[in-house]
Amino acid sequence: MASALISLNVGKPIAVEYQGKVLETGIYKEPIQGDVFLGKEQIDGDGQADLVNHGGADKAVCVYPYEHYAYWENQLGKSLQYAAFGENLTVTGMLESDVCIGDVYQVGDAILQVSQPRFPCYKLSQKHGVADLPVQFLKTGYSGFYFRVLREGYLNSTSRIDQLESHAAQVSVVEVLRLLASSPKDRDPEVLQHMIKLEVLSSVTRQRFQKWLDEGAF
């Protein structure tokens, strides 16, 4: 299936209540129309509250496959609008099992490269009211993924998505996600070494794998 952009979504961080405390989160995004500029670290009009775990050059654009929406609507028992999972790009034809780390795409004028899986966090639980939703994301592999920006440019909700390069290593997004979610007994040191050498994989992910290797966490 050809890749396609279904919705372009942005949103600034807002304050919400979670477990009796105030939480700042950028997960509440809304679809937008018209041309918008994508810089090296985010789309104009977008923002992240937790700059340690979200945003930055390797996580400039969050992508989520629309194919998963039907599954989550059934699981959550409700209809879902675009940007339901805080993604910037809601897409089709880009499943985590098919998209590989280092693959390069053009969206509008911008050129983007797949950098890492999206690792689900508790803010999904806050938004949808399901305590174990991050665990469900990991079990299904329906995580989404991130782009880094190789060339800045304008895009809009009707922009084409064209794949420019398929990375030679052919390490899928879901392979990296499974390793990130693995227990020490299931980790293969050779696989960790292979991932560490994959320079197109985000630096924070490679550092995590290097730490596991150094600590013998396998």
Side-chain angles (χ1 to χ4, degrees), residues 131-148:
D132 71 340
L133 193 54
V135 174
Q136 292 187 46
F137 263 58
L138 290 176
K139 285 182 177 179
T140 59
Y142 298 167
S143 66
F145 55 91
Y146 286 103
F147 278 135
R148 64 170 61 90

Side-chain angles (χ1 to χ4, degrees), residues 18-73:
Y18 183 59
Q19 296 183 343
K21 298 180 180 179
V22 175
L23 170 69
E24 291 281 336
T25 177
I27 199 171
Y28 289 87
K29 303 188 188 302
E30 297 287 343
I32 58 170
Q33 305 297 320
D35 290 345
V36 63
F37 186 74
L38 171 58
K40 281 293 186 179
E41 296 197 358
Q42 65 184 30
I43 301 170
D44 279 358
D46 198 42
Q48 299 82 31
D50 177 4
L51 296 178
V52 173
N53 296 303
H54 302 282
D58 277 341
K59 292 181 280 187
V61 180
C62 184
V63 184
Y64 200 77
Y66 185 67
E67 287 88 341
H68 302 329
Y69 268 58
Y71 173 84
W72 293 120
E73 286 181 334

